[in-house]
Amino acid sequence: MSVATDTQAQPRNEALDAPVHIGAVSLRVRDLAGLTAFYRDAIGLSVIGQDADHAVLGAGGEPLVKLEAGAQHPSSAAGLFHMAILLPSRRDLGNWLRHAAEARIGLEGASNHLVSEALYLSDPEGNGIEVYRDRSRPEWPRLDGGRLKMATERLDLDALLGDADGRAYAGMPEGTIMGHIHLRVGDLAQAEGFYRDALGFEVMVHYPGASFMATGGYHHHIATNTWHSRGAGPRRDNEAGLSSFELVARDDEARAALSRRMAASGGDAASTVDPWGNRITLRG
């Protein structure tokens, strides 16, 4: 599938066009000041609030990343693979790539996933980050039978830079959201049993060693993999890395249904924990 060249903002946000989507991701960190500066200056998020033990960063006033001081143990095999920041348009992704090049921010990958285009990096404490843009839903390729097709192909960075607007980088724009979260887990069947069967996400795509799940037909709000974590057990308290992530319901009906599922999964009406100790909260 050829790379789309339309640089205009899409008429709708594909990740939000769903009963449940991802909200802010909270990280437990060792160097709060350093990580706050990284997400502000390198990633381009704005500081919404901070104190001696916490910082909240986002775009357009929307909280996306919450940092918590006090990590006492290294991150174990399970936990965050990456959090994925979704930009409103291809032009915005090109602008961020130009900013990364000018600021000498090291990238670890760049992929055309057919449904999206993505850039990959890590923060100074090793937390994975994806910065991406979605193609519009009618462009998403389908397999026989209508199943969604995703792949990992080379992304043409020169073409992407060509879609940047050339202006001084002013940070991530309003309309930027947390599009999805990708987790390292110990067992895919167990992960699907929790996120699909307990919380109600639909499996959209299987990769070798990975599952991609969503609500509302999105390509994925939650992904899980065992690429480097097969057999991993629960995480310890106060580990560095993922502390929790939010699920956000579109309306009262979706919120009530998700709240019931969380309680039935062993949590309560507002939060639950997956088999590896990753906490999920329902945004109020």
Side-chain angles (χ1 to χ4, degrees):
M1 182 174 181
S2 61
V3 174
T5 58
D6 180 14
T7 60
Q8 299 302 310
Q10 296 173 15
R12 66 180 183 181
N13 187 307
E14 302 295 353
L16 298 186
D17 191 20
V20 177
H21 62 87
I22 304 299
V25 174
S26 297
L27 303 176
R28 191 177 296 109
V29 304
R30 300 183 184 88
D31 179 5
L32 180 61
L35 268 288
T36 300
F38 176 84
Y39 281 96
R40 181 193 64 213
D41 301 335
I43 300 302
L45 299 177
S46 300
V47 177
I48 296 173
Q50 64 183 127
D51 58 29
D53 297 313
H54 302 85
V56 179
L57 300 100
E62 173 72 11
L64 300 179
V65 177
K66 299 180 179 181
L67 304 176
E68 307 170 2
Q72 297 177 6
H73 305 289
S75 182
S76 58
L80 183 70
F81 187 64
H82 63 241
M83 56 182 162
I85 299 172
L86 174 57
L87 295 172
S89 72
R90 192 169 202 261
R91 175 179 293 154
D92 294 317
L93 187 61
N95 288 343
W96 190 85
L97 177 60
R98 184 172 296 280
H99 157 69
E102 292 174 350
R104 299 184 181 277
I105 299 165
L107 297 182
E108 298 168 353
S111 297
N112 169 15
H113 292 305
L114 307 183
V115 297
S116 64
E117 295 176 310
L119 305 170
Y120 296 94
L121 69 159
S122 294
D123 73 18
E125 296 192 6
N127 298 296
I129 303 165
E130 176 182 341
V131 180
Y132 77 113
R133 74 99 183 181
D134 275 331
R135 290 188 167 90
S136 64
R137 200 168 296 211
E139 295 179 274
W140 296 355
R142 303 278 172 175
L143 299 168
D144 292 343
R147 297 286 292 178
L148 192 63
K149 180 181 180 182
M150 292 172 61
T152 300
E153 299 181 351
R154 186 184 68 85
L155 180 60
D156 187 338
L157 295 181
D158 290 334
L160 183 57
L161 284 171
D163 276 342
D165 60 26
R167 293 180 292 182
Y169 191 65
M172 289 190 161
E174 184 173 357
T176 299
I177 68 165
M178 190 64 68
H180 65 266
I181 189 166
H182 194 149
L183 303 171
R184 303 189 310 262
V185 300
D187 182 84
L188 286 185
Q190 192 176 11
E192 290 185 5
F194 181 81
Y195 288 103
R196 179 193 62 202
D197 302 337
L199 296 191
F201 287 78
E202 179 185 1
V203 176
M204 303 301 294
V205 176
H206 280 127
Y207 267 17
S211 295
F212 296 80
M213 293 168 275
T215 71
Y218 188 54
H219 53 73
H220 66 296
H221 291 106
I222 296 174
T224 60
N225 78 65
T226 56
W227 295 329
H228 301 289
S229 56
R230 188 178 303 277
R235 303 173 68 220
R236 295 168 293 178
D237 291 339
N238 299 319
E239 275 192 17
L242 182 64
S243 174
S244 66
F245 65 93
E246 295 175 338
L247 296 179
V248 183
R250 179 171 58 190
D251 53 33
D252 289 345
E253 181 181 0
R255 177 182 172 81
L258 181 57
S259 183
R260 289 192 297 269
R261 285 181 173 275
M262 284 184 153
S265 73
D268 56 39
S271 68
T272 191
V273 178
D274 78 7
W276 298 276
N278 298 305
R279 178 159 295 279
I280 304 107
T281 63
L282 179 55
R283 182 188 291 182

